[in-house]
Amino acid sequence: MMVEIFLIILVLVCLVLSFLIIQTVRFTSRQPPPDALPESTIDTGTVAGHLAQALTYKTVSYQDTLRFRGQEFKHLHSYLEKTFPTVHSHLTQEVVGEYSLLYTWKGSNNTLLPVLLMAHLDVVPVEEGTEEDWTHPPFQGDIADGFIWGRGSMDIKEGVMGLLEAVELLLKEEFEPERTIYLAFGHDEEIGGLQGAHVVAELVSARTGSLEYVLDEGGSITQGIVPGVDSPVALVGIAEKGYVSLELSVELEGGHSAMPPRETTIGILSAAVVKLEKNQMPASFSGVVNRLFEYVGPEMDFSRKLIFANARFFSPLIVNRLSQSPYTNSMIRTTTAPTIIEGGTKENVLPQKAKAIVNFRILPGDTVESVKEHVAAIIDDPRIIIAPVKESWDPSGVSDVKGQWFQTLHRTIRQVFPDTVVAPFLVTGATDSRHYARMSTNVFKFIPFIATSEDLKRVHGTDERISIHDYEHCVRFYIQLIRNSAT
């Protein structure tokens, strides 16, 4: 009897192993062979100089709107008109909301829906006291050591300038689009885009109703970031997380610290925050993150490939592993981040009120309402008042990776960066593209520069820079994307 049981178990194990191996063998690359890239003559020194000069304009978005310097945006507008004369003589340029820009390149076929290509003019401030830490001053626009240095070189004036360089060159080549192309450059993306992209989107919506696709920032070409993949990986955002911040507040009688009650406002509030951190919203290896590994998994070594080829079987293992890193954890769950806590004014006085702000980045499948319900259920304390802070929004829709326009992006990236693996992914931050979401089901987030994990620290940080080589390829990418999209 024992021998028979052993043989049955052995047969079952062999069948399972065979199934796993067959699935792994069938788990083949989704990367098409790159098409030939048509020639376009780019004067690398000239385009690098144009971007460097654009970085000298201090188009900073501050949370304190009283610090806004509108004249810097006006000066940048004038510089763009002077630098791209062919664009400004052939395209319709409109200033929207005083400081944002909308360009319309009219296509020859009115039956085709337009596409909209985006970037933004504003940049984040340089943290006070860190100016001396920069190798080159943040608003000097230096070109040195093979890089263009300055605030906005990665986020995201290279997108603004790269698009305009591409259109200028195509116009000089007498390229004529069949499909109308919009270029939309908001001026307040870094503080929510309500006066910029939102207003531009309303204008475009009133004119066209729908768009074939929208391309904004969000992903890039990463090097050495996706474990198990040696090639650069172009991460194309096909969705982005939602956003809500909740204020937790407690109000009790104050008094002298020499005679404290059993529970204080700070103690009650701290316990609630600890509960939320220990009881995170559930993780899910499905949707966008699963799509990511469907594209990068086939490029991995056999052991990793076997796991992702059989993701349903190994899902608990995958979720456990992805949960270990803050970066990958943010891709599989709605994240919980206490960011502000306040209470008390003097060391010997019990505060009557204490409050905390907890920020949630919401995974597609969850909603603002489901986050509120989760928070209330976990805290389960009627003494704590829970209230939303400012603006919130649900996660975006998920763009179809099997559709024409993701395939167009995929093909274009492979043409310009032939050694790159292209994969869809989830953008964990917020972009201006959400203001256009109602106009298209195809909203993508990608900016074509190569970044290591160290490079990504420069975005919103010290020593922001882009290599001259990368920026030339950025321009080349936009040229080819317009060719592939507009005819």
Side-chain angles (χ1 to χ4, degrees), residues 272-485:
V273 171
V274 169
K275 280 184 180 179
L276 290 176
E277 286 196 318
K278 287 188 173 180
N279 297 275
Q280 302 272 331
M281 294 190 73
S284 172
F285 186 72
S286 61
V288 180
V289 69
N290 190 31
R291 289 285 189 203
L292 166 64
F293 286 100
E294 286 176 354
Y295 278 74
V296 298
E299 314 303 323
M300 295 178 172
D301 59 49
F302 186 82
S303 60
R304 287 189 174 99
K305 185 176 176 181
L306 184 144
I307 290 171
F308 290 110
N310 300 278
R312 290 184 181 180
F313 186 81
F314 291 108
S315 181
L317 172 67
I318 295 170
V319 167
N320 180 266
R321 186 60 183 269
L322 295 179
S323 297
Q324 304 307 309
S325 159
Y327 178 74
T328 51
N329 182 60
S330 70
M331 297 170 60
I332 59 173
R333 63 161 40 89
T334 294
T335 52
T336 303
T339 54
I340 300 172
I341 191 161
E342 297 176 358
T345 56
K346 197 171 186 295
E347 74 273 11
N348 63 348
V349 177
L350 297 170
Q352 289 182 291
K353 185 172 183 178
K355 69 177 183 178
I357 305 294
V358 185
N359 180 250
F360 299 85
R361 301 301 176 104
I362 308 169
L363 191 73
D366 293 332
T367 64
V368 171
E369 286 306 312
S370 69
V371 170
K372 291 178 184 177
E373 290 168 3
H374 166 81
V375 170
I378 294 300
I379 292 175
D380 192 25
D381 189 335
R383 296 171 297 179
I384 295 180
I385 305 302
I386 303 167
V389 180
K390 295 184 179 178
E391 187 186 12
S392 63
W393 55 88
D394 287 329
S396 74
V398 179
S399 300
D400 183 9
V401 296
K402 296 181 180 179
Q404 172 188 354
W405 296 111
F406 182 84
Q407 299 303 320
T408 297
L409 266 175
H410 194 162
R411 180 162 60 95
T412 304
I413 295 168
R414 294 276 292 168
Q415 282 181 286
V416 181
F417 306 94
D419 298 325
T420 296
V421 174
V422 179
F425 95 121
L426 175 65
V427 176
T428 56
T431 69
D432 266 348
S433 66
R434 72 181 186 279
H435 298 291
Y436 297 86
R438 67 186 182 279
M439 282 182 269
S440 180
T441 57
N442 298 298
V443 180
F444 305 109
K445 306 116 192 330
F446 175 74
I447 187 78
F449 67 82
I450 298 175
T452 64
S453 57
E454 287 301 308
D455 293 325
L456 293 177
K457 295 176 184 177
R458 301 175 188 272
V459 180
H460 289 201
T462 298
D463 272 349
E464 190 175 345
R465 69 185 188 182
I466 187 171
S467 78
I468 296 169
H469 178 266
D470 277 1
Y471 183 55
E472 177 193 338
H473 279 75
C474 179
V475 176
R476 205 173 290 283
F477 167 82
Y478 285 127
I479 291 172
Q480 192 56 33
L481 180 65
I482 292 170
R483 283 184 178 139
N484 290 341
S485 302

Side-chain angles (χ1 to χ4, degrees), residues 27-98:
F27 196 47
T28 55
S29 178
R30 297 183 179 230
Q31 308 304 314
D35 296 334
L37 184 66
E39 283 295 323
S40 278
T41 302
I42 297 174
D43 186 327
T44 306
T46 297
V47 299
H50 289 166
L51 175 58
Q53 181 61 37
L55 301 180
T56 65
Y57 299 100
K58 298 180 180 180
T59 53
V60 179
S61 278
Y62 296 97
Q63 291 300 132
D64 180 2
T65 55
L66 294 177
R67 300 182 67 185
F68 180 76
R69 300 168 66 177
Q71 203 58 36
E72 291 288 332
F73 288 85
K74 297 290 188 183
H75 291 325
L76 178 56
H77 294 179
S78 298
Y79 173 68
L80 297 180
E81 289 182 24
K82 183 177 107 176
T83 305
F84 304 108
T86 315
V87 169
H88 287 83
S89 64
H90 285 72
L91 276 63
T92 302
Q93 184 224 45
E94 299 169 83
V95 179
V96 183
E98 288 195 73

